Amino acid sequence: MATETLFRDDAYMRSVEASVIGINERGGIILDRTVFYGTSGGQPGDTGTLTRADGRVIPIAATVCGETKDDIIHVPAEGAERPETGENLTLALDWERRYKLMRMHTACHLLSVVCPYPITGASVSEEDSRIDFDLPDAGFTKVEVTEKLTELVEADHPVFTRWISQEDLAANPSLVKSKNVRPPSGVGRIRLVCIGKDAVVDSQPCGGTHVLRTGEIGTIHIGKIEKKGRENRRFRLRFGAFSA
Ligand SMILES: [Zn+2]
């Protein structure tokens, strides 16, 4: 039985009622629906709480994916009690953390616009994110990249999702920016994350959570551009103003 993944349609939903459909062999909690994102695609899973009818709280330390990205497993904190199958719970995200991840993740999309090179790795976190590009010679400075990112943030472009078919994706291979990670095939439809009116700024397959307007990202800068091997450059994104 699959979990209804509410964060895909509304990343701003922080709370919902759900019922337990199973507890796995490692104590992970499976619900009929959830607002918790499970770790995947470089974005960490959510933390938060599940509250029982009597008010007792089960802290959730991590959320991971099972076999597919539709299998969302809520991992309770060490020593926390487990709910019963069929029990109704009230879910609540650690919204402050998730919103930072949404802002950072969206900023990573903008970085891939400013630096249009194949991506070999990426990791989003609350304070500091990184993207590795297959880029033998930087030819970029932190200042230039920060300026271009800031322009895209300040333009306050809309961010929206659109579903396309496998065939559409096959006909537009340039939509895929990661070099090593292919979008899942055989799943029928692909979720595209688009930026700008009519997706003029960018569109790429992504299952993560994003803000609705680039302006929500706020002040951001490139903290570092590092050389990672002969053919890779690692760009580090940080919140706050650029400091020389
Ligand atoms: Zn994304």
Side-chain angles (χ1 to χ4, degrees):
M1 206 158 135
T3 303
E4 192 187 343
T5 50
L6 300 168
F7 52 83
R8 285 205 189 120
D9 293 319
D10 183 0
Y12 291 79
M13 220 172 148
R14 311 174 191 194
S15 180
V16 76
E17 310 270 318
S19 62
V20 179
I21 57 175
I23 308 284
N24 73 13
E25 64 287 350
R26 296 165 67 188
I29 302 163
I30 326 283
L31 302 167
D32 63 342
R33 53 188 186 155
T34 190
V35 291
F36 283 66
Y37 180 79
T39 303
S40 54
Q43 182 180 331
D46 286 319
T47 56
T49 54
L50 311 181
T51 303
R52 309 181 80 168
D54 64 5
R56 294 208 309 253
V57 171
I58 303 168
I60 297 300
T63 308
V64 297
C65 291
E67 264 176 50
T68 75
K69 288 182 184 177
D70 290 325
D71 300 321
I72 307 289
I73 301 161
H74 307 78
V75 182
E78 188 87 28
E81 44 188 85
R82 299 287 191 280
E84 304 291 328
T85 298
E87 187 174 333
N88 292 320
L89 301 168
T90 303
L91 286 58
L93 288 182
D94 175 349
W95 174 249
E96 203 180 315
R97 174 175 178 273
R98 155 70 96 71
Y99 189 54
K100 277 188 186 169
L101 292 170
M102 285 162 59
R103 290 164 58 211
M104 259 303 183
H105 186 140
T106 311
C108 288
H109 283 242
L110 296 183
L111 180 55
S112 77
V113 172
V114 173
C115 301
Y117 301 96
I119 293 170
T120 55
S123 172
V124 177
S125 82
E126 295 153 71
E127 302 300 339
D128 177 301
S129 295
R130 61 168 177 82
I131 301 187
D132 297 338
F133 292 98
D134 182 349
L135 179 59
D137 180 22
F140 282 107
T141 67
K142 291 187 287 185
V143 180
E144 284 168 347
V145 176
T146 298
E147 277 173 6
K148 288 179 181 169
L149 282 173
T150 302
E151 265 174 45
L152 289 168
V153 169
E154 287 177 352
D156 200 24
H157 292 292
V159 182
F160 58 97
T161 56
R162 182 196 284 166
W163 292 89
I164 62 166
S165 66
Q166 291 281 339
E167 294 72 31
D168 291 336
L169 187 67
N172 296 283
S174 65
L175 287 173
V176 179
K177 300 189 178 186
S178 47
K179 201 180 176 187
N180 309 323
V181 186
R182 297 277 131 201
S185 63
V187 294
R189 52 182 207 153
I190 307 280
R191 183 181 192 249
L192 273 192
V193 173
C194 307
I195 302 179
K197 190 173 181 289
D198 301 322
V200 287
V201 176
D202 189 43
S203 52
Q204 58 180 293
C206 185
T209 60
H210 311 85
V211 292
L212 280 173
R213 308 214 49 113
T214 60
E216 289 182 53
I217 294 168
T219 309
I220 200 144
H221 69 280
I222 297 294
K224 234 181 208 175
I225 302 176
E226 299 165 280
K227 191 173 165 144
K228 284 280 157 190
R230 203 155 48 91
E231 294 186 344
N232 280 285
R233 289 293 180 282
R234 171 168 292 179
F235 286 60
R236 288 190 177 277
L237 263 174
R238 283 178 195 148
F239 284 128
F242 185 81
S243 56

